[in-house]
Amino acid sequence: FGLLFLFLGYFLKEKEEKVSKCPNCKESFNYTELKNGKCKYCDEIDTIEIDEYYKKYPEELKDI
């Protein structure tokens, strides 16, 4: 039973979803929502991974 619980716990735990943000419209998206990493609302704008986005635009952290 112990091995069963370990096995189920490993596969049922929530996986960290990667989030990206559009530098143009400032919307955040899960990678699963996007096609080829492009913003859904802005034409042909590449989104940036959220950690990299706030490194590039640290002034936006103050607004949170």
Side-chain angles (χ1 to χ4, degrees), residues 5-15:
F5 285 121
L6 288 174
F7 183 77
L8 289 175
Y10 177 77
F11 287 105
L12 295 179
K13 71 178 180 179
E14 290 186 31
K15 303 215 183 230

Side-chain angles (χ1 to χ4, degrees), residues 4-42:
L4 177 64
F5 285 121
L6 288 174
F7 183 77
L8 289 175
Y10 177 77
F11 287 105
L12 295 179
K13 71 178 180 179
E14 290 186 31
K15 303 215 183 230
E16 182 179 333
E17 290 191 29
K18 293 189 177 188
V19 178
S20 62
K21 190 167 184 172
C22 176
N24 192 37
C25 69
K26 312 294 187 221
E27 282 290 322
S28 298
F29 306 98
N30 289 330
Y31 280 146
T32 56
E33 297 177 60
L34 303 174
K35 292 182 182 177
N36 298 324
K38 305 286 185 189
C39 179
K40 295 192 313 187
Y41 306 122
C42 304

